[in-house]
Amino acid sequence: MKIAIIGATGFGGAELIRLLHSHSKVEAIDVFTSSEVGELYSNKYPSMIQIYDQPLLEINYSKLTQYDVIFASTPAGVTSTLFEPLMNKDVVLIDLSGDYRLKNLEDYENWYSKKSAKQQYVDKAVYGLTEWAKENVKGSTFISNPGCYPTAALLSTIPLYKEDLVIPGTCIIDAKSGVTGSGNSLVKSSHFCEANENISIYKMNKHQHIPEIEQGLKMFAGAEDTITFSTHLVPMMRGILSTTYINVKEGTTEDMIQRAFEEAYKDAPFVRLIEEAGMFGTNRVRGTNYCDIHWDLDERTNRLTVVAAIDNLVKGAAGQAIQNMNVLFGYDEMDGLDQIPLYM
Amino acid sequence: MKIAIIGATGFGGAELIRLLHSHSKVEAIDVFTSSEVGELYSNKYPSMIQIYDQPLLEINYSKLTQYDVIFASTPAGVTSTLFEPLMNKDVVLIDLSGDYRLKNLEDYENWYSKKSAKQQYVDKAVYGLTEWAKENVKGSTFISNPGCYPTAALLSTIPLYKEDLVIPGTCIIDAKSGVTGSGNSLVKSSHFCEANENISIYKMNKHQHIPEIEQGLKMFAGAEDTITFSTHLVPMMRGILSTTYINVKEGTTEDMIQRAFEEAYKDAPFVRLIEEAGMFGTNRVRGTNYCDIHWDLDERTNRLTVVAAIDNLVKGAAGQAIQNMNVLFGYDEMDGLDQIPLYM
Amino acid sequence: MKIAIIGATGFGGAELIRLLHSHSKVEAIDVFTSSEVGELYSNKYPSMIQIYDQPLLEINYSKLTQYDVIFASTPAGVTSTLFEPLMNKDVVLIDLSGDYRLKNLEDYENWYSKKSAKQQYVDKAVYGLTEWAKENVKGSTFISNPGCYPTAALLSTIPLYKEDLVIPGTCIIDAKSGVTGSGNSLVKSSHFCEANENISIYKMNKHQHIPEIEQGLKMFAGAEDTITFSTHLVPMMRGILSTTYINVKEGTTEDMIQRAFEEAYKDAPFVRLIEEAGMFGTNRVRGTNYCDIHWDLDERTNRLTVVAAIDNLVKGAAGQAIQNMNVLFGYDEMDGLDQIPLYM
Amino acid sequence: MKIAIIGATGFGGAELIRLLHSHSKVEAIDVFTSSEVGELYSNKYPSMIQIYDQPLLEINYSKLTQYDVIFASTPAGVTSTLFEPLMNKDVVLIDLSGDYRLKNLEDYENWYSKKSAKQQYVDKAVYGLTEWAKENVKGSTFISNPGCYPTAALLSTIPLYKEDLVIPGTCIIDAKSGVTGSGNSLVKSSHFCEANENISIYKMNKHQHIPEIEQGLKMFAGAEDTITFSTHLVPMMRGILSTTYINVKEGTTEDMIQRAFEEAYKDAPFVRLIEEAGMFGTNRVRGTNYCDIHWDLDERTNRLTVVAAIDNLVKGAAGQAIQNMNVLFGYDEMDGLDQIPLYM
């Protein structure tokens, strides 16, 4: 299996290489870029010296179509331009950007403030929240990989909506992310002396992951809902903790909630239902594709609190992309992803 | 002015000394303890070598009554026992624990799982959320200093309830705290390799600050409400960010919200209304008594998001205690507290 | 291949499990302990829930001898007692503690302030600094795995001594370590609020790794030298950076130094000679068995500065132990250890 | 007293404002800049909202000469140009850059790779290592404030050279610094995901502070020596720990060393001799002007290890500059600098 990665110099690209390095079916990985052609990848990521020393290659479509899979880890607004010539070629495309996620192009343009991809290609892309999209992923050649926040938010709420246990209009998601979520570009909010020893909030009520979460609830649980979602920056590198507050319907019991989650994820190797809050935290999934979920129902308010923890660069990006590749090609779902988390 | 601190070896006590060191009226600070009598304070806090080298003194009531103010920074359940012999003596008492905060003793016993203080003493204690309790603090000799989370939560919500802008039953407070909030005892959750690079959740729906916040809303805004409140541990030392989600009543406008906050805090030197999210974060108040507040109204959901940032050890503990002392004695409210935050 | 780990609840044990999980020859891993028998391992390390849920087993010698390899990750002073009944049994022993490292028992007792193991067993143990001890490891059944600091210090200095490029009596090693080096016990120096935002020095001129480094220089380079060595605690979890200062002999050129390192490590898959300081740092080896080395010769002083970076829990402990197992059994040296570092 | 700060937007400038805010003689502080004129200072440092909201002023020499003191916190190479028109005016100049530190202009040009200031102005500037330059500072109107590393290195070694206790040619200084040392510009090495969980080395044998330390040893101890000096970047914001290794002369005893330090600093309010390593660390001086010193003599090697800890932004920059101002004007040396360190 030969893999191409476009936009490989970002954190998402580096994670793809790190994880694909352990994949039993991968024979070759090549990296493509629109700048810095010829530079060794290990010059940018010296952690890979002697492990992955290949040069950055120029984007060349006749060459790209010779790969089995092309991952795009380019920014939103860029992938749709780069991918267009590859549509309908005999190559599997997996996009980690937001360009093909929102099926409603108006939503894309409103929330991203960018020109959307073409409707036909957006329609073609399978939204790859693997645990819920497995059947569609299998038959597809074009995957739009979910956003980091939506992955955590959706995995921890879809079962509740699907089983009709919760009250629409009451869903509030308070998300917290590590700094890798902002990528490796040099911006003030990622300066060590700004990010360290600080927690802040950003994009209040404006985050482009809001319509993606709402679309996911509809897509996988048939639920039309309008949510509140906010995002905080936490002084750590990896990890998203998503805390959801939602009112349960009258008659919803703890058993019903537990069964909804257990049923939903009984065949999902990467979703773990964690019984005690003390055993839950983003460090428990670091470096891996796991999504840990824990919940507590407050009898005083009839409100349910659900927390989900993922590694934003793995289950929230590169790991889920590989999981989708595995499902699409019929490989073992855990191939390349069967690591024990780097807890400490 | 002569100051005694009981339970001085915890972080709260150390902060009292740090801040009182800059107070213009303070001539002497003595530290009392139930163990380690005779040890130099600077042995426990070597940061204070040559600055505060005094020995820990044995708790002695005839001696204690000779001070002008006694601060207690002992754990909940301990202060009420220590303070009883000092009631009705000619000395101002300021308690930083939770022992006198909840006016309803049943609430105390339910949420703290400890025996409460006596009703007569609980009644006597003024709940010192300074910005809202100023008049009561002035006439008092016994202050119960608010909890760290309630300080942030109440300062950022009381104006909304008071002006009747929000819908009861919809208030959700998602709080995040640094590790100093757990004190200096050696517990697993405070081990560097557990706390670092991790965000976790604890005491879901069980935190003893829940009834304190609800009591504060009633006390200062006349609002009976039942809230949802959760607490997260963030890998930093100081700081609380409290994110509140609450539905606004029909007709509530951004102007009305802004006016409510401005009016509430027009004479409050430590509350700052921050206009842009990018200027807001816990590092902006580090080491100081400021409480920064920022908000955003989401038109899609008619839900308001309000964030407050404090230093949990200062405005959330020692600083507010000194602010209360200043108000009580008629000193400049900022005496000892007029520092510029240690942003980086 | 069946593996037993004694003292599995420390960080060293947890790393053994994490790495052995990816080892192609390992069929079973069992964990033994002197306390908490019966508890699930994943209760102590929730990162391993659903991955490694086995219970802690009681130490039982007739059972232990049925394994192919026993790793001991118990504290110094404990292993020698636990291992004695296993000597001369048909099982490979690999000790991660300091109990069998110092061949001179007097040194052990002076520097560890503990009773030493028996001379016959100490003599039997092969000091497994893999890159330099490969031939001895191959023929052995009992490995004493090097200390974390000595691994970094020796790998970066042996070639210099071996090629006789440096002046005895001038070697100073200034080492810096992350907090995992102190293990998971609850001590003040590992409290987040003490370790974070702090760098400190400990065990000045008293560290038990001093005689181990000196012994290694003699063992592998035939050099009798007395060194100065100091250890600093750095606010990060993993990683050792060892900075060595040493005067070069007259006539020593940069080429000679470079050749010494290249020759020494031309067949060593885990040692990387890093050309630019900007590409060197402990994050470049995080989570892996690599040892990165970089150096600079100062013409003003004729003094050479050599830096080595390792992950103290991997190349400095569990990783090197597995590397030794691989060599001993004739497996691929990188089996179980072929990960790309978790740079960010 | 009216203060002007040029180059106020860097960390050094922000610290000057933070500390001068508590200075009893300072009536006004104005900030000057070569760009962003008119912007509010608190827009750049929102920690100062409502505390220091003044606008950045254009650099104007007729205006600048109306201040009592001008601090320059501009980069090396910039100050010398900005200061020239202010020479011989009736205003005290205090430069925090390296432009006037090296009395030998060739050294400056070699180590800084910039054009030096004029010899006459360099000669005029008093090198303000306050503890050793007090008498010269008193009679001066132009101070060149020492570098951060030289401050720590010199304070911990001058007494040894002065009392002739050490052997020239054996001095090695291994320094470690927090990330504020690199300032607030957006460079890769200061990105959170690069600096965090990492320790690295930079400018090996090339740091411009090398000649400054050697000059200081000559200036204050009459010692001609050539040192080895290296600098490491540690994942924390503030603090320098400088570890010096130096051979002692035959006959040098622990008493002689202790007396040398005690004698040197008996009247120095900011230098603290720390008896136990466990009480020493950069967090013990955070936010303050203290320099803590601890040492240990190794009898095996006759080598002395001395460690010094400072806050690089305070004693290593803004604090020492204010200390110099205090001495120069005959104020209390601690005015504006009498804080208790923010240990946690």
Side-chain angles (χ1 to χ4, degrees):
Chain A
M1 182 158 232
K2 290 176 62 191
I3 309 281
I5 303 172
I6 306 181
T9 58
F11 286 157
E15 277 295 277
L16 281 168
I17 294 172
R18 183 176 74 82
L19 295 166
L20 289 168
H21 181 72
S22 307
H23 198 287
S24 73
K25 310 289 191 201
V26 172
E27 295 152 31
I29 307 169
D30 285 328
V31 280
F32 292 81
T33 178
S34 54
S35 62
E36 305 176 285
V37 169
E39 196 178 350
L40 293 195
Y41 197 78
S42 53
N43 278 353
K44 297 204 79 68
Y45 288 92
S47 54
M48 300 200 200
I49 286 175
Q50 291 183 25
I51 308 174
Y52 188 81
D53 286 317
Q54 288 177 237
L56 289 162
L57 305 174
E58 200 173 1
I59 294 174
N60 172 314
Y61 290 101
S62 64
K63 194 163 177 197
L64 279 169
T65 48
Q66 295 164 21
Y67 290 86
D68 299 295
V69 183
I70 302 173
F71 291 96
S73 187
T74 36
V78 174
T79 316
S80 58
T81 310
L82 287 172
F83 262 19
E84 204 160 311
L86 294 162
M87 293 292 164
N88 307 317
K89 305 291 189 203
D90 184 25
V91 55
V92 167
L93 302 176
I94 302 180
D95 176 25
L96 280 74
S97 86
D99 276 3
Y100 298 97
R101 290 183 199 147
L102 299 181
K103 299 308 179 189
N104 180 332
L105 303 194
E106 215 175 300
D107 278 350
Y108 181 90
E109 303 205 335
N110 285 342
W111 290 87
Y112 282 84
S113 300
K114 288 177 199 292
K115 202 173 153 2
S116 76
K118 293 196 180 135
Q119 186 76 56
Q120 65 195 101
Y121 300 135
V122 172
D123 288 348
K124 189 184 176 198
V126 168
Y127 181 75
L129 184 69
T130 328
E131 282 71 16
W132 293 94
K134 216 168 267 188
E135 290 313 310
N136 286 333
V137 167
K138 274 177 195 164
S140 168
T141 59
F142 181 18
I143 306 292
S144 172
N145 210 55
C148 51
Y149 289 121
T151 295
L154 288 170
L155 289 177
S156 53
T157 53
I158 289 172
L160 303 169
Y161 279 93
K162 193 149 171 283
E163 299 302 322
D164 204 21
L165 304 177
V166 291
I167 301 175
T170 68
C171 180
I172 291 168
I173 303 171
D174 183 291
K176 301 93 177 163
S177 173
V179 183
T180 54
S182 307
N184 62 2
S185 59
L186 301 177
V187 292
K188 192 189 171 195
S189 57
S190 296
H191 190 291
F192 186 83
C193 301
E194 169 69 25
N196 192 41
E197 293 291 294
N198 187 26
I199 174 166
S200 57
I201 191 165
Y202 65 102
K203 286 198 188 175
M204 289 169 85
N205 298 315
K206 300 279 177 288
H207 202 291
Q208 69 277 11
H209 287 168
I210 293 173
E212 185 179 339
I213 295 168
E214 291 176 354
Q215 172 185 280
L217 292 176
K218 191 170 172 190
M219 198 179 270
F220 301 118
E224 297 264 7
D225 205 358
T226 306
I227 62 161
T228 289
F229 172 72
S230 75
T231 50
H232 301 79
L233 192 61
V234 176
M236 59 189 195
M237 288 189 289
R238 287 164 181 259
I240 282 177
L241 190 155
S242 171
T243 312
T244 299
Y245 304 92
I246 191 161
N247 288 41
V248 298
K249 289 197 169 160
E250 222 186 297
T252 296
T253 63
E254 297 194 338
D255 268 5
M256 291 161 74
I257 295 165
Q258 182 62 16
R259 258 183 289 134
F261 281 114
E262 285 178 1
E263 185 62 27
Y265 299 121
K266 63 176 190 293
D267 297 323
F270 293 115
V271 179
R272 304 189 294 190
L273 305 179
I274 306 296
E275 281 176 44
E276 294 176 38
M279 305 182 87
F280 175 89
T282 57
N283 61 355
R284 266 74 183 195
V285 300
R286 189 183 305 132
T288 65
N289 204 48
Y290 290 96
C291 174
D292 283 4
I293 295 174
H294 174 74
W295 58 269
D296 188 77
L297 180 62
D298 183 19
E299 292 174 7
R300 297 169 72 245
T301 56
N302 245 11
R303 201 170 275 136
L304 177 64
T305 306
V306 191
V307 280
I310 61 168
D311 182 320
N312 55 305
L313 294 177
V314 188
K315 184 61 179 166
Q320 187 160 231
I322 294 169
Q323 186 184 1
N324 280 321
M325 180 187 84
N326 287 339
V327 168
L328 191 152
F329 284 91
Y331 301 151
D332 176 355
E333 192 170 342
M334 298 189 81
D335 203 344
L337 300 171
D338 181 21
Q339 294 90 15
I340 287 183
L342 202 76
Y343 156 68
M344 68 276 183
Chain B
M1 182 158 233
K2 290 176 62 191
I3 308 282
I5 303 173
I6 306 181
T9 58
F11 285 157
E15 277 295 277
L16 281 168
I17 294 172
R18 183 177 73 84
L19 295 166
L20 289 168
H21 182 71
S22 308
H23 197 288
S24 73
K25 309 290 192 199
V26 172
E27 295 153 31
I29 307 169
D30 285 329
V31 280
F32 292 82
T33 178
S34 54
S35 63
E36 305 176 286
V37 169
E39 196 178 350
L40 292 195
Y41 196 78
S42 53
N43 278 354
K44 296 202 80 67
Y45 288 92
S47 54
M48 300 200 198
I49 286 175
Q50 290 183 27
I51 309 173
Y52 188 81
D53 286 318
Q54 287 177 239
L56 288 162
L57 305 174
E58 198 172 2
I59 294 174
N60 171 314
Y61 289 102
S62 64
K63 194 164 176 197
L64 279 169
T65 49
Q66 295 164 21
Y67 290 87
D68 298 295
V69 183
I70 302 173
F71 290 95
S73 187
T74 35
V78 173
T79 317
S80 59
T81 311
L82 287 171
F83 262 20
E84 204 160 310
L86 294 162
M87 293 291 164
N88 307 316
K89 304 293 189 202
D90 185 24
V91 55
V92 167
L93 302 176
I94 302 180
D95 176 25
L96 280 75
S97 86
D99 276 2
Y100 299 97
R101 290 184 199 146
L102 299 182
K103 298 310 179 189
N104 181 330
L105 303 195
E106 217 176 298
D107 277 350
Y108 181 89
E109 302 204 337
N110 285 342
W111 290 87
Y112 282 83
S113 300
K114 288 177 199 292
K115 202 173 153 4
S116 77
K118 294 196 178 135
Q119 186 76 56
Q120 66 196 99
Y121 300 136
V122 173
D123 289 348
K124 190 184 174 198
V126 169
Y127 181 75
L129 184 68
T130 329
E131 281 72 17
W132 292 95
K134 216 169 267 189
E135 290 313 310
N136 286 334
V137 168
K138 272 177 197 168
S140 168
T141 59
F142 181 18
I143 306 292
S144 172
N145 210 55
C148 52
Y149 289 120
T151 295
L154 288 169
L155 289 176
S156 54
T157 53
I158 289 172
L160 303 168
Y161 279 94
K162 193 148 171 286
E163 299 303 321
D164 205 20
L165 303 176
V166 291
I167 301 175
T170 68
C171 180
I172 291 168
I173 303 172
D174 184 292
K176 299 93 176 164
S177 173
V179 183
T180 54
S182 307
N184 61 2
S185 59
L186 300 177
V187 293
K188 191 190 171 194
S189 57
S190 297
H191 191 290
F192 185 83
C193 301
E194 168 69 24
N196 192 41
E197 293 291 294
N198 187 27
I199 174 166
S200 57
I201 191 165
Y202 65 102
K203 286 196 187 175
M204 289 170 85
N205 298 314
K206 300 279 177 289
H207 202 291
Q208 69 277 10
H209 286 168
I210 293 172
E212 185 179 339
I213 296 168
E214 290 176 353
Q215 172 185 281
L217 292 176
K218 189 169 175 191
M219 198 179 271
F220 301 119
E224 296 265 7
D225 205 358
T226 305
I227 62 161
T228 289
F229 172 72
S230 75
T231 49
H232 301 77
L233 192 62
V234 176
M236 60 188 195
M237 287 190 288
R238 287 164 181 258
I240 282 176
L241 190 154
S242 172
T243 312
T244 299
Y245 304 92
I246 192 162
N247 289 40
V248 298
K249 289 195 168 160
E250 221 186 298
T252 296
T253 64
E254 296 195 338
D255 268 5
M256 290 161 74
I257 296 165
Q258 182 64 16
R259 258 182 291 134
F261 281 114
E262 284 178 1
E263 185 63 26
Y265 299 121
K266 64 177 191 292
D267 298 324
F270 293 114
V271 179
R272 304 188 294 190
L273 306 178
I274 306 297
E275 281 176 44
E276 294 175 37
M279 307 182 86
F280 174 89
T282 56
N283 61 354
R284 268 71 184 198
V285 300
R286 188 182 307 133
T288 67
N289 204 49
Y290 291 96
C291 174
D292 282 5
I293 295 173
H294 174 73
W295 57 269
D296 189 75
L297 181 61
D298 183 18
E299 291 173 7
R300 297 169 73 244
T301 56
N302 244 11
R303 203 170 275 136
L304 178 64
T305 307
V306 191
V307 280
I310 62 168
D311 182 320
N312 56 306
L313 294 178
V314 187
K315 184 61 179 168
Q320 186 158 236
I322 294 170
Q323 185 184 1
N324 279 322
M325 181 187 83
N326 287 339
V327 168
L328 190 153
F329 284 93
Y331 301 151
D332 175 355
E333 193 170 342
M334 297 189 81
D335 203 342
L337 301 170
D338 182 20
Q339 293 91 14
I340 287 182
L342 201 76
Y343 156 69
M344 69 278 185
Chain C
M1 181 157 231
K2 290 175 61 190
I3 308 282
I5 303 173
I6 306 181
T9 58
F11 286 158
E15 277 295 276
L16 282 169
I17 295 172
R18 184 177 73 83
L19 295 166
L20 289 169
H21 182 72
S22 307
H23 197 287
S24 73
K25 310 289 190 199
V26 172
E27 296 153 30
I29 307 169
D30 285 329
V31 281
F32 292 82
T33 177
S34 54
S35 62
E36 305 175 284
V37 169
E39 196 179 350
L40 293 194
Y41 197 78
S42 53
N43 278 353
K44 297 204 78 69
Y45 288 93
S47 54
M48 300 201 199
I49 286 175
Q50 291 182 27
I51 308 173
Y52 188 82
D53 286 318
Q54 288 177 239
L56 288 162
L57 305 174
E58 199 173 2
I59 294 174
N60 172 315
Y61 289 101
S62 63
K63 193 163 178 198
L64 279 169
T65 49
Q66 296 165 19
Y67 291 86
D68 298 296
V69 183
I70 302 173
F71 290 95
S73 188
T74 36
V78 173
T79 317
S80 58
T81 310
L82 287 172
F83 262 20
E84 203 160 312
L86 294 163
M87 292 293 163
N88 307 316
K89 305 290 189 203
D90 185 25
V91 55
V92 167
L93 302 176
I94 302 181
D95 176 25
L96 280 74
S97 85
D99 276 3
Y100 298 96
R101 290 184 199 146
L102 299 182
K103 299 308 179 188
N104 180 331
L105 304 194
E106 215 175 300
D107 277 351
Y108 181 89
E109 303 205 337
N110 285 342
W111 291 87
Y112 282 83
S113 300
K114 286 177 200 292
K115 201 172 152 8
S116 76
K118 292 194 180 137
Q119 185 76 54
Q120 65 195 100
Y121 301 135
V122 173
D123 288 349
K124 190 185 176 197
V126 169
Y127 182 75
L129 184 68
T130 330
E131 282 71 16
W132 292 95
K134 217 169 266 188
E135 290 313 310
N136 286 333
V137 167
K138 272 177 195 166
S140 168
T141 59
F142 181 17
I143 306 293
S144 172
N145 210 54
C148 52
Y149 289 122
T151 295
L154 288 169
L155 289 176
S156 53
T157 53
I158 288 171
L160 303 168
Y161 279 93
K162 193 147 171 286
E163 299 303 320
D164 204 21
L165 304 177
V166 291
I167 302 176
T170 67
C171 179
I172 291 168
I173 304 172
D174 183 291
K176 300 92 177 165
S177 173
V179 182
T180 53
S182 307
N184 62 1
S185 60
L186 301 177
V187 293
K188 191 189 170 193
S189 56
S190 296
H191 191 291
F192 185 84
C193 301
E194 168 69 23
N196 192 40
E197 293 290 293
N198 186 27
I199 173 166
S200 57
I201 190 166
Y202 65 101
K203 286 198 187 173
M204 290 170 85
N205 298 315
K206 300 279 176 288
H207 202 291
Q208 70 276 12
H209 286 169
I210 293 173
E212 185 179 339
I213 296 169
E214 291 175 354
Q215 172 185 280
L217 292 176
K218 191 170 172 189
M219 198 178 271
F220 301 118
E224 296 265 7
D225 205 358
T226 306
I227 62 161
T228 289
F229 172 72
S230 75
T231 50
H232 300 78
L233 192 62
V234 176
M236 59 189 196
M237 288 190 288
R238 286 165 181 259
I240 283 177
L241 190 155
S242 171
T243 312
T244 299
Y245 303 92
I246 192 162
N247 288 42
V248 299
K249 289 195 169 161
E250 221 186 298
T252 296
T253 64
E254 297 195 338
D255 268 7
M256 291 161 73
I257 296 165
Q258 182 63 17
R259 259 182 289 133
F261 281 114
E262 285 178 0
E263 184 63 24
Y265 299 120
K266 63 178 190 293
D267 298 323
F270 293 115
V271 179
R272 304 189 295 190
L273 306 178
I274 306 297
E275 280 176 44
E276 293 175 38
M279 307 182 85
F280 175 90
T282 56
N283 61 354
R284 268 73 183 196
V285 300
R286 189 184 305 132
T288 66
N289 204 48
Y290 290 96
C291 174
D292 283 5
I293 295 174
H294 174 74
W295 57 270
D296 189 76
L297 180 62
D298 183 19
E299 291 174 7
R300 297 170 72 245
T301 56
N302 244 11
R303 202 170 275 137
L304 177 64
T305 306
V306 191
V307 281
I310 61 168
D311 182 320
N312 55 305
L313 294 177
V314 188
K315 183 61 179 167
Q320 186 159 235
I322 294 170
Q323 185 184 1
N324 280 322
M325 181 187 83
N326 288 339
V327 168
L328 191 152
F329 284 93
Y331 301 150
D332 175 354
E333 193 170 341
M334 297 189 81
D335 202 343
L337 301 170
D338 181 21
Q339 293 90 15
I340 287 183
L342 201 76
Y343 156 69
M344 68 277 183
Chain D
M1 182 158 232
K2 290 176 61 191
I3 308 282
I5 302 172
I6 306 181
T9 58
F11 285 157
E15 277 296 276
L16 282 168
I17 294 172
R18 184 178 73 84
L19 295 166
L20 289 168
H21 182 71
S22 308
H23 197 288
S24 74
K25 309 290 190 198
V26 172
E27 296 153 31
I29 306 169
D30 285 330
V31 280
F32 292 82
T33 178
S34 54
S35 63
E36 306 175 285
V37 169
E39 195 177 350
L40 292 195
Y41 196 78
S42 53
N43 278 354
K44 296 203 81 65
Y45 288 92
S47 54
M48 300 199 199
I49 286 175
Q50 289 181 27
I51 309 174
Y52 188 81
D53 287 317
Q54 286 176 240
L56 289 162
L57 305 174
E58 199 173 1
I59 294 174
N60 171 314
Y61 290 102
S62 64
K63 194 163 175 199
L64 278 169
T65 48
Q66 295 164 21
Y67 291 86
D68 298 296
V69 183
I70 302 173
F71 290 95
S73 188
T74 35
V78 173
T79 316
S80 59
T81 311
L82 287 172
F83 261 20
E84 204 162 310
L86 293 162
M87 293 291 163
N88 307 316
K89 304 291 188 204
D90 185 25
V91 54
V92 167
L93 302 176
I94 302 180
D95 176 26
L96 279 74
S97 86
D99 276 3
Y100 299 97
R101 290 184 198 145
L102 299 182
K103 298 311 178 187
N104 181 330
L105 303 194
E106 216 175 299
D107 278 351
Y108 180 90
E109 303 205 335
N110 286 342
W111 290 87
Y112 282 83
S113 300
K114 289 177 199 290
K115 201 171 152 8
S116 77
K118 293 195 179 135
Q119 186 76 56
Q120 65 195 101
Y121 300 136
V122 172
D123 288 349
K124 191 184 175 199
V126 169
Y127 182 75
L129 184 69
T130 329
E131 282 71 15
W132 293 95
K134 216 168 267 188
E135 289 314 310
N136 286 333
V137 168
K138 272 178 196 167
S140 168
T141 60
F142 181 18
I143 306 292
S144 172
N145 211 54
C148 52
Y149 289 121
T151 295
L154 289 169
L155 289 176
S156 53
T157 52
I158 289 172
L160 303 168
Y161 279 93
K162 193 146 173 286
E163 299 303 320
D164 204 20
L165 303 177
V166 290
I167 302 175
T170 67
C171 180
I172 291 168
I173 303 171
D174 183 291
K176 299 93 177 165
S177 173
V179 183
T180 54
S182 307
N184 62 1
S185 59
L186 300 177
V187 293
K188 191 190 171 195
S189 56
S190 296
H191 191 290
F192 185 82
C193 301
E194 168 69 24
N196 192 41
E197 293 290 295
N198 187 26
I199 173 166
S200 57
I201 190 165
Y202 65 102
K203 286 199 188 174
M204 289 169 86
N205 298 314
K206 300 280 176 288
H207 202 291
Q208 69 277 10
H209 286 168
I210 293 173
E212 185 179 339
I213 295 169
E214 291 176 353
Q215 172 185 280
L217 292 176
K218 190 171 174 189
M219 198 179 268
F220 300 119
E224 296 266 8
D225 205 358
T226 305
I227 62 161
T228 289
F229 172 72
S230 74
T231 50
H232 301 79
L233 192 62
V234 176
M236 59 188 196
M237 288 190 288
R238 287 164 181 259
I240 283 177
L241 189 155
S242 171
T243 312
T244 299
Y245 304 91
I246 191 162
N247 288 42
V248 298
K249 289 195 170 161
E250 220 185 300
T252 295
T253 64
E254 296 195 337
D255 268 7
M256 290 162 75
I257 296 165
Q258 182 63 15
R259 258 182 290 133
F261 281 114
E262 284 178 2
E263 184 63 25
Y265 299 121
K266 64 177 191 292
D267 298 323
F270 293 115
V271 179
R272 303 189 295 191
L273 305 178
I274 305 298
E275 280 176 44
E276 294 175 38
M279 307 182 84
F280 175 89
T282 57
N283 61 354
R284 267 71 183 198
V285 300
R286 189 184 304 134
T288 66
N289 204 49
Y290 291 96
C291 173
D292 283 3
I293 295 174
H294 174 73
W295 58 270
D296 188 76
L297 180 61
D298 182 19
E299 291 173 7
R300 297 169 73 246
T301 56
N302 245 10
R303 202 170 275 136
L304 178 64
T305 306
V306 191
V307 281
I310 61 169
D311 182 319
N312 56 305
L313 294 177
V314 187
K315 184 61 179 168
Q320 187 159 234
I322 293 170
Q323 186 184 1
N324 279 321
M325 180 187 84
N326 288 339
V327 168
L328 190 153
F329 284 92
Y331 301 151
D332 176 356
E333 193 171 342
M334 298 190 81
D335 203 343
L337 301 171
D338 182 21
Q339 293 91 14
I340 287 181
L342 202 76
Y343 155 69
M344 68 277 184

